[in-house]
Amino acid sequence: MTAREPIIKRPPAQGRPVDRIVAGLAAIWLFCAVAATLWFFLGFYETDPGFSAASSAALLSLGLGAFAIIPGAVILRLAWTAWRYGFRPVHGLWTLVLALPWIGLSLMARPSEWMPIWLTIFPLLLATPISLWAIVSIILERRARAKP
């Protein structure tokens, strides 16, 4: 008795292993963004647990957290797509648009005394290699296209 062929045949991955590593870094970014959003919400909720205060704290926390959650999710999708189907320059450009501001924000927030250190170090440690991946991948893709 032989095994049946799968109904859906998936082509093998076309990308590089580094694309998968960057997808993992973006997943860590997404997890940290959700954790920081929850941490801020619980901080607001701790001081005033009423419904109206909790609902406005939830909207504020989710609204501000979306600035980190959405880029993390989009970069995760772009890196996974690059690994699955091959890198295209548009993947790198969108990654740079979403990740480079976080490097600047992390460097600006670092000297502040009220910001916890983990909220400034983690974005810097995650956005820097992701941005470098995008820059190097764009350069390699253009060089590969330029060769006859």
Side-chain angles (χ1 to χ4, degrees), residues 3-86:
R4 291 189 225 170
E5 285 192 37
I7 296 173
I8 300 173
K9 294 183 180 182
R10 297 178 75 183
Q14 303 294 317
R16 304 157 298 175
V18 72
D19 299 336
R20 201 168 186 180
I21 292 169
V22 169
L25 287 174
I28 293 170
W29 175 338
L30 183 61
F31 176 77
C32 289
V34 170
T37 302
L38 183 62
W39 183 68
F40 273 109
F41 169 72
L42 292 176
F44 285 124
Y45 186 73
E46 182 179 352
T47 59
D48 195 7
F51 176 74
S52 65
S55 62
S56 65
L59 287 174
L60 177 68
S61 298
L62 286 174
L64 291 175
F67 286 106
I69 293 171
I70 292 172
V74 170
I75 291 171
L76 173 62
R77 179 66 180 167
L78 289 171
W80 190 259
T81 303
W83 177 73
R84 194 74 194 124
Y85 301 108

Side-chain angles (χ1 to χ4, degrees), residues 90-113:
V90 71
H91 297 138
L93 291 176
W94 274 109
T95 300
L96 287 175
V97 166
L98 295 170
L100 281 179
W102 282 99
I103 295 173
L105 287 171
S106 298
L107 292 174
M108 286 188 310
R110 181 60 223 118
S112 68
E113 295 176 5

